[in-house]
Structure formats: C-alpha cells, structure tokens
C-alpha cells in the first residue's frame, strides 16, 4: 500500500471537495460571473490541489523513501523524489 | 456578459475535463497508486487549472480592462487587475 | 522613459539590497552554513526579486499599456503583456 | 561541513553569476530599458536562484537527511525537510 501521510480518507475527502469546487467553477462560468471572481475561485482550487500534492510528497518521504534508505538502497528513491520535488515546485 | 478570452464553450470543456481528472485522482488513491504517479497527475491538473486562470485573465484584460481604459476610467480596473495577477502568480 | 510604477530610485534601492543579499548567500556557503538556512535566505531573495517583477509589471500596465489603449492601438501591447504575465507566473 | 549536492565551487560560481545578473538589472533600470525586457531578465535571475535552491535541497536530502535516517533518527529531519519543501514550492 502506498504510504500517504494524509490518510486515504483525508485525501479522498479533499479530492471530493475539489471535485465540487470544479463543478462550482462550471456554474460560475455558466452564469457569466465576473472574471476576477472566477479567477479567485480558480486560485483557491489550485491551492487545495497543491495541499494534496504536499500531503502526497510528505507521506512518500516518511514511508517509501525512509524505508528504502533504512534498507541501504535509498539512492534511486532519493533521485526520483528530487525530480518530483522539482516538478512540483515548478522548476 | 463576462468577456472570457477562451470562449465560454472552451472554458466549460476544459473545466469538465478537469473534473474528470479529479475523479481520476480519486480512483488512483482508491487503488493505492504509487505516490509519485499520483503527484504527477496532481501537477497535470494544477497546470490545466492554471491555463484556465490564464485564459480568464487574458479575456479580462482584452475586454473589461481595455473598455474601462477607453472610457477614461481604467484606474480602478487596473488596480484590481494587478492585485489579481499578484495573487495568481502566487506573490 | 520607461514608466516604472516603483519609481526608479525605489527599484534601484531594491536591486542594490538584493545584490547585497546575494553576496550574503556567498558568505553563507563559504562558511558552510546549514543547507536549510541557506535555502531560507534563497527564498527570501527570490521573493524580493518577484516583488521587483511585480512592480515592473504594474508600472508597465499603468503607463505603456494604458497609453497604447487610449491611442486605440492596445492590441499588440495587451498580447505582449499577457505573454509576460504567463512567463512571470511560471506557466 | 554542509553537504551541498552542487559542490561548493559550483554553488559559489552560480551565486557570483547571479550577483552579476543583479548588477545587470541595475544598469537596465538606469538606462530606462523597456519594462518587459527588464522583467524577462528578472525571471531569468529568479530561475537561476531557484536552481541554486534546488541544488541545496538535493544535497540536503542526499547527505543530512539520509544520514539521519540511517542512524535511526530521521523523523525530525524529515519534518524540517518537508517544511522547507513547502516554503520553496511557495505553498
């Protein structure tokens, strides 16, 4: 099992809430809501998604990466992790 | 009507695709997909959302802001715009 | 003259402070400062640079873009602006 | 000694180049260079700084964090790391 730091239920709750927010965005566009207000909501969904990403990274380091290092074979995991951090941080 | 640059149909199509991607994330978590793979998909949804945000900003400048300036009352719109750009760029 | 919103003196003061911060980073590395502390300082220099970028964008919209629109030839300026915003926001 | 992944000489070379770029920005502002061109250069300095940050993070994980985990006391280091990643990724 993947070792998510946010437990699975927390992750699923957050993703369901994000799904609802995206449907909310569709309604806003449908009702010709003022662009800046739609954009504010887009920012808030993006922030929610990034919190999920941060939770995934956190769990990954605490479980998979830590275990691999403890077993003396962390090199590849650390390399994979840093590539993921770079993509996540938008570099 | 709000002057979205991406036309309304394009925006709605993108938002519906994003909604599908968020449901895909829920399935990935449900099936204990490897964290790094879930994270890659989170990044891709974030990028799709930011493209929507960029399209909203673009339409806003081309329509609302341009019109306000043409009518000699752009000051407040420009101020609101720059605050939105700062939030969008995460400053 | 380019219409910077932060006036020229303010911009120069900020850039000189940033130059000093970058020299501070060199000293930190030279003295083998703990990585996380160096990273914190890197983040703070990045934030200072992005504030300069935001000030430049702001001045550009208030002056160059607004003027072009008032003269009925804003299209190209708006296009150039949105491309700059996209790059600045890291899209 | 702090275990930078980019070796110390590489880090210093990069920081010196960044210092030169910041001085270049001061000259651009001094000569009233077109805002969008100054902004492009600001983005390029920001990218260079973030590459330095990424190098620091990478070295930190490969050395300090890995060592702590191998010694069975990784918890605090991992927590500190994830807080640093969150700040670096601008969350």
């Amino acid at each position: 099992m993947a070792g998510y730091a946010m437990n699975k239920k927390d992750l699923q709750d957050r993703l369901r809430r994000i799904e609802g927010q995206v449907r909310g965005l569709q309604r806003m566009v449908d009702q010709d809501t003022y662009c800046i207000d739609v954009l504010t909501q887009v920012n808030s969904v993006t922030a929610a998604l990034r919190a999920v990403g941060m939770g995934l990274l956190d769990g990954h380091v605490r479980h998979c990466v830590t275990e691999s290092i403890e077993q003396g074979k962390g090199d590849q995991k650390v390399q994979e992790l840093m590539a993921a951090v770079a993509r996540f941080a938008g570099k």
Side-chain angles (χ1 to χ4, degrees), chain A:
Chain A
M1 199 208 97
Y4 305 134
M6 288 179 183
N7 64 50
K8 221 166 138 169
K9 193 191 162 317
D10 186 17
L11 267 178
Q12 293 290 28
D13 287 351
R14 283 169 186 261
L15 287 171
R16 252 189 299 271
R17 221 172 306 134
I18 290 169
E19 190 193 333
Q21 287 180 301
V22 175
R23 268 199 299 269
L25 279 171
Q26 293 170 33
R27 273 191 304 278
M28 289 177 97
V29 169
D30 205 51
Q31 296 163 2
D32 295 316
T33 306
Y34 184 52
C35 326
I36 296 290
D37 296 334
V38 185
L39 188 65
T40 299
Q41 183 62 4
V42 167
N43 287 340
S44 136
V45 184
T46 307
L49 264 170
R50 292 188 65 84
V52 165
M54 206 54 226
L56 288 165
L57 260 182
D58 193 75
H60 184 62
V61 174
R62 282 181 210 279
H63 300 101
C64 315
V65 179
T66 297
E67 254 173 59
S68 297
I69 292 172
E70 282 167 355
Q71 297 167 2
K73 43 184 189 185
D75 276 15
Q76 206 194 322
K77 280 287 182 232
V78 166
Q79 198 168 330
E80 183 193 55
L81 169 70
M82 296 319 294
V85 168
R87 285 194 305 271
F88 183 68
K91 222 110 322 18

